[in-house]
């Protein structure tokens, strides 16, 4: 379980980007974080994995306070936090297997890593997970030979190799075509329940947020202004979060039945 209380993040002397956020995310729960560009969504995820330093507040992962951890303790907690990126962040010239095994870097010794002598159990786990997401047959392919959707599956498996206790995804589908991005959303949704993980997904595609998550949190100027089920997320919520300008009206329409999902709300350029 992830518990965030009174989280404040201020960059320099500017106005805070996160203004006292409270958020608890249960295991098995997939949360969409929506909000206009600059609302603070990426900052929130980066505070959780401590890529940026929270100014104040508390972030607890399964009871462990993450804020203020240093050095070895920080590394130890960080490996429990899986991260999936919009741009996949793979190393192109390495194989799929090598990219996946990079998820073990927080666990193996430097010697094992540089000589690529990963324990057999890691390699076995890598195959199981790659099989699970349908990329095992690409194990020896170079990462840059894969399609976007396949690359994102590699990104997801790499995160899972960390044996994470929480999965954070920053616009994981924004670079993918509509059908592929739905497949990735379905994958994240099923992994949350299979692995009993809290999953937080920053997403601009409101229709997908409504279809594939359990709960939607809306941020505006660093403040949570919506927290509810996809069913509660109506036109009024959309207008409040985006100020009535960013998302088209038909985003609030019920999700289309499977097989006719090609038409998607446009993604924000970021
Ligand atoms: N390293 C930084 N230094 C200073 N200001 C920053 C830094 N990172 C982000 N900001 C500012 O914080 C605010 C929130 O940024 P953030 O990236 O969290 O927004 P976002 O909701 O993820 O937006 P987007 O939807 O465009 O990805 C923005 O005004 C941004 O300019
Ligand atoms: Mg962002």
């Amino acid at each position: 379980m992830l518990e965030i209380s009174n989280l404040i993040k201020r960059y320099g002397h500017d106005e805070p980007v996160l203004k006292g956020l409270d958020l608890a995310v249960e295991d098995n729960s997939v949360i969409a974080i929506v909000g206009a560009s600059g609302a603070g969504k990426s900052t929130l995820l980066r505070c959780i994995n401590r890529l940026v330093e929270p100014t104040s507040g508390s972030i607890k992962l399964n009871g462990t306070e993450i804020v203020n951890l240093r050095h070895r303790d920080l590394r130890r907690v960080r490996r429990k936090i899986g991260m999936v990126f919009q741009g996949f962040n793979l190393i192109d010239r390495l194989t799929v297997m090598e990219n996946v095994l990079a998820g073990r870097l927080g666990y193996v010794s430097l010697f094992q890593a540089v000589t690529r002598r990963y324990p057999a159990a890691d390699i076995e786990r890598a195959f199981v997970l790659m099989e699970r997401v349908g990329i095992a047959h690409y194990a020896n392919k170079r990462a840059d030979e894969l399609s976007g959707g396949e690359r994102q599956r590699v990104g997801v498996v790499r995160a899972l190799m960390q044996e994470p206790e929480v999965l954070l995804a920053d616009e994981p589908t924004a670079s993918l075509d509509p059908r592929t991005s739905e497949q990735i959303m379905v994958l994240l949704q099923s992994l949350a329940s299979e692995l009993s993980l809290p999953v937080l997904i920053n997403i601009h595609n409101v229709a997908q947020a409504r279809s594939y998550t359990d709960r939607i949190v809306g941020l505006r100027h660093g403040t949570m202004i919506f927290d509810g089920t996809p069913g509660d997320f109506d036109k009024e919520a959309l207008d409040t979060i985006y100020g009535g300008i960013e998302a088209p009206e038909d985003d609030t329409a019920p999700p289309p039945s499977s097989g006719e999902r090609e038409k998607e709300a446009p993604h924000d350029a970021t």
Side-chain angles (χ1 to χ4, degrees), residues 21-239:
L21 219 62
D22 295 309
L23 176 66
V25 191
E26 310 274 350
D27 296 346
N28 292 320
S29 176
V30 185
I31 291 209
I33 299 163
V34 300
S37 195
K41 305 179 299 293
S42 295
T43 299
L44 170 61
L45 296 196
R46 290 190 193 130
C47 281
I48 297 170
N49 67 13
R50 291 277 309 276
L51 285 176
V52 304
E53 287 297 316
T55 303
S56 63
S58 162
I59 303 173
K60 284 187 184 162
L61 180 58
N62 294 327
T64 303
E65 179 60 69
I66 294 175
V67 173
N68 298 329
L69 284 183
R70 305 248 163 260
H71 311 298
R72 192 206 289 201
D73 293 332
L74 177 58
R75 280 201 298 279
R76 219 172 255 163
V77 150
R78 230 183 224 154
R79 68 190 184 191
K80 295 289 179 193
I81 302 173
M83 187 88 191
V84 176
F85 303 88
Q86 173 181 348
F88 323 125
N89 287 17
L90 306 182
I91 302 174
D92 284 344
R93 64 189 168 73
L94 295 185
T95 65
V96 167
M97 176 58 102
E98 285 165 331
N99 272 284
V100 161
L101 286 170
R104 296 305 294 170
L105 287 177
Y107 291 91
V108 300
S109 69
L110 184 62
F111 178 77
Q112 284 174 306
V114 295
T115 56
R116 296 186 193 153
R117 286 182 202 176
Y118 288 88
D122 288 355
I123 292 165
E124 207 169 298
R125 180 174 165 77
F127 270 116
V128 169
L129 289 170
M130 288 193 295
E131 194 75 56
R132 166 65 186 84
V133 308
I135 55 165
H137 53 298
Y138 291 141
N140 295 317
K141 255 195 161 185
R142 267 175 65 130
D144 57 3
E145 293 171 4
L146 269 51
S147 71
E150 290 158 355
R151 286 160 72 79
Q152 192 55 295
R153 284 164 203 271
V154 177
V156 170
V157 171
R158 180 184 54 194
L160 297 180
M161 284 298 287
Q162 290 174 234
E163 297 178 69
E165 292 177 9
V166 61
L167 202 55
L168 310 176
D170 200 353
E171 299 189 39
T173 61
S175 307
L176 304 174
D177 69 68
R179 169 103 12 181
T180 309
S181 54
E182 290 187 351
Q183 290 168 348
I184 294 292
M185 290 299 286
V186 169
L187 178 65
L188 292 172
Q189 196 181 31
S190 12
L191 290 171
S193 70
E194 281 169 37
L195 303 170
S196 195
L197 284 175
V199 178
L200 281 72
I201 307 177
N202 284 353
I203 186 164
H204 277 296
N205 187 318
V206 173
Q208 284 183 3
R210 295 177 84 232
S211 301
Y212 300 109
T213 67
D214 308 312
R215 179 175 161 200
I216 299 179
V217 162
L219 294 187
R220 187 163 188 190
H221 305 313
T223 303
M224 192 193 291
I225 56 167
F226 179 87
D227 183 2
T229 64
D232 297 334
F233 194 82
D234 54 13
K235 168 90 169 61
E236 196 187 331
L238 191 71
D239 284 348

Side-chain angles (χ1 to χ4, degrees), residues 2-22:
L2 182 74
E3 295 163 285
I4 297 172
S5 31
N6 201 17
L7 180 64
I8 295 175
K9 173 59 191 177
R10 179 194 296 270
Y11 291 105
H13 296 293
D14 296 343
E15 201 193 331
V17 167
L18 298 176
K19 300 174 181 149
L21 219 62
D22 295 309

